[in-house]
Amino acid sequence: MTARSKIKGNRWESKILAMLHNAGFTNAKKTYQPAQSAGLDPGDIHVNNYKVEVKYRRTGTGFKTLRKWLENKDHLVLCEPYLDPIVVVRFEDYVKLLGVQHDKREN
Protein backbone atom coordinates (compact mmCIF):
# COMPACT_ATOMS: atom_id res chain seq x y z
CA MET A 1 0.00 0.00 0.00
CA THR A 2 1.39 3.39 -0.93
CA ALA A 3 1.75 6.21 1.56
CA ARG A 4 -0.91 8.14 -0.36
CA SER A 5 -3.39 5.27 0.03
CA LYS A 6 -2.66 5.07 3.75
CA ILE A 7 -3.31 8.79 4.12
CA LYS A 8 -6.68 8.48 2.33
CA GLY A 9 -7.67 5.46 4.39
CA ASN A 10 -6.64 7.20 7.58
CA ARG A 11 -8.72 10.25 6.64
CA TRP A 12 -11.87 8.18 6.18
CA GLU A 13 -11.27 6.10 9.29
CA SER A 14 -11.00 9.36 11.26
CA LYS A 15 -14.17 10.68 9.62
CA ILE A 16 -16.14 7.53 10.53
CA LEU A 17 -14.71 7.64 14.06
CA ALA A 18 -15.90 11.25 14.41
CA MET A 19 -19.36 10.24 13.14
CA LEU A 20 -19.53 7.48 15.77
CA HIS A 21 -18.45 9.91 18.49
CA ASN A 22 -21.08 12.44 17.32
CA ALA A 23 -23.68 9.66 17.51
CA GLY A 24 -22.80 9.16 21.19
CA PHE A 25 -20.35 6.26 20.93
CA THR A 26 -17.52 7.97 22.78
CA ASN A 27 -15.96 4.56 23.48
CA ALA A 28 -15.16 4.12 19.76
CA LYS A 29 -11.41 3.98 19.24
CA LYS A 30 -9.15 3.74 16.24
CA THR A 31 -6.66 0.88 16.03
CA TYR A 32 -3.14 1.75 15.02
CA GLN A 33 -0.43 0.45 12.73
CA PRO A 34 1.65 -1.56 15.27
CA ALA A 35 -1.15 -4.10 15.72
CA GLN A 36 -1.56 -4.41 11.96
CA SER A 37 2.16 -4.78 11.31
CA ALA A 38 2.32 -7.55 13.94
CA GLY A 39 0.17 -9.66 11.64
CA LEU A 40 -3.02 -9.08 13.60
CA ASP A 41 -6.23 -7.98 11.90
CA PRO A 42 -7.78 -5.77 14.53
CA GLY A 43 -9.98 -3.81 12.12
CA ASP A 44 -9.78 -0.04 11.74
CA ILE A 45 -12.07 0.97 14.60
CA HIS A 46 -13.35 -0.73 17.75
CA VAL A 47 -16.79 0.20 19.07
CA ASN A 48 -18.79 -1.73 21.68
CA ASN A 49 -16.43 -4.71 21.35
CA TYR A 50 -16.97 -4.84 17.58
CA LYS A 51 -14.21 -4.56 15.00
CA VAL A 52 -15.06 -2.20 12.14
CA GLU A 53 -13.27 -2.19 8.80
CA VAL A 54 -13.56 1.03 6.78
CA LYS A 55 -13.21 0.93 2.98
CA TYR A 56 -13.11 3.97 0.71
CA ARG A 57 -13.33 4.08 -3.06
CA ARG A 58 -13.17 7.46 -4.78
CA THR A 59 -15.17 6.25 -7.77
CA GLY A 60 -17.39 3.90 -5.78
CA THR A 61 -16.01 0.92 -7.68
CA GLY A 62 -17.61 -2.17 -6.21
CA PHE A 63 -20.13 -0.16 -4.19
CA LYS A 64 -22.47 1.08 -6.92
CA THR A 65 -24.27 -2.23 -7.31
CA LEU A 66 -24.64 -2.55 -3.53
CA ARG A 67 -26.16 0.94 -3.36
CA LYS A 68 -28.54 0.08 -6.20
CA TRP A 69 -29.69 -3.10 -4.46
CA LEU A 70 -30.09 -1.22 -1.16
CA GLU A 71 -32.15 1.55 -2.77
CA ASN A 72 -35.56 1.85 -1.04
CA LYS A 73 -34.65 -1.05 1.28
CA ASP A 74 -33.60 -1.06 4.92
CA HIS A 75 -30.99 -3.82 4.77
CA LEU A 76 -29.21 -5.87 2.15
CA VAL A 77 -28.17 -9.47 2.84
CA LEU A 78 -25.45 -10.92 0.61
CA CYS A 79 -25.34 -14.71 0.40
CA GLU A 80 -22.76 -17.10 -1.04
CA PRO A 81 -22.63 -20.89 -0.87
CA TYR A 82 -20.86 -22.24 2.23
CA LEU A 83 -20.25 -18.76 3.73
CA ASP A 84 -22.08 -16.75 6.37
CA PRO A 85 -24.37 -14.06 4.95
CA ILE A 86 -23.15 -10.46 5.05
CA VAL A 87 -25.55 -7.65 5.97
CA VAL A 88 -25.18 -4.17 4.46
CA VAL A 89 -26.94 -1.26 6.20
CA ARG A 90 -26.78 2.51 5.97
CA PHE A 91 -24.64 4.27 8.59
CA GLU A 92 -27.70 5.72 10.35
CA ASP A 93 -29.20 2.24 10.78
CA TYR A 94 -25.84 0.84 11.88
CA VAL A 95 -25.63 3.43 14.66
CA LYS A 96 -29.16 2.52 15.79
CA LEU A 97 -28.25 -1.18 15.89
CA LEU A 98 -25.08 -0.45 17.86
CA GLY A 99 -27.15 1.56 20.34
CA VAL A 100 -29.62 -1.29 20.84
CA GLN A 101 -26.76 -3.75 21.46
CA HIS A 102 -25.11 -1.32 23.88
CA ASP A 103 -28.38 -0.87 25.81
CA LYS A 104 -28.87 -4.65 26.06
CA ARG A 105 -25.36 -5.14 27.48
CA GLU A 106 -25.91 -2.51 30.17
CA ASN A 107 -29.19 -4.10 31.41
Side-chain angles (χ1 to χ4, degrees), residues 35-77:
Q36 294 166 343
S37 63
L40 304 173
D41 185 15
D44 297 321
I45 296 171
H46 286 189
V47 59
N48 292 357
N49 295 319
Y50 292 104
K51 296 184 219 175
V52 178
E53 185 73 21
V54 177
K55 293 295 179 194
Y56 168 77
R57 299 288 181 269
R58 183 178 55 84
T59 62
T61 303
F63 300 160
K64 290 179 183 180
T65 301
L66 295 175
R67 287 195 175 277
K68 181 181 168 200
W69 289 339
L70 192 55
E71 193 174 299
N72 299 317
K73 315 293 185 309
D74 297 314
H75 305 107
L76 170 64
V77 180

Side-chain angles (χ1 to χ4, degrees), residues 5-59:
S5 294
K6 286 181 186 178
I7 290 169
K8 284 184 202 175
N10 190 31
R11 183 182 321 132
W12 280 94
E13 291 162 13
S14 296
K15 190 177 259 191
I16 296 300
L17 183 63
M19 291 171 71
L20 286 165
H21 285 171
N22 289 338
F25 295 96
T26 55
N27 64 334
K29 296 193 182 342
K30 198 168 169 193
T31 55
Y32 289 96
Q33 195 63 29
Q36 294 166 343
S37 63
L40 304 173
D41 185 15
D44 297 321
I45 296 171
H46 286 189
V47 59
N48 292 357
N49 295 319
Y50 292 104
K51 296 184 219 175
V52 178
E53 185 73 21
V54 177
K55 293 295 179 194
Y56 168 77
R57 299 288 181 269
R58 183 178 55 84
T59 62

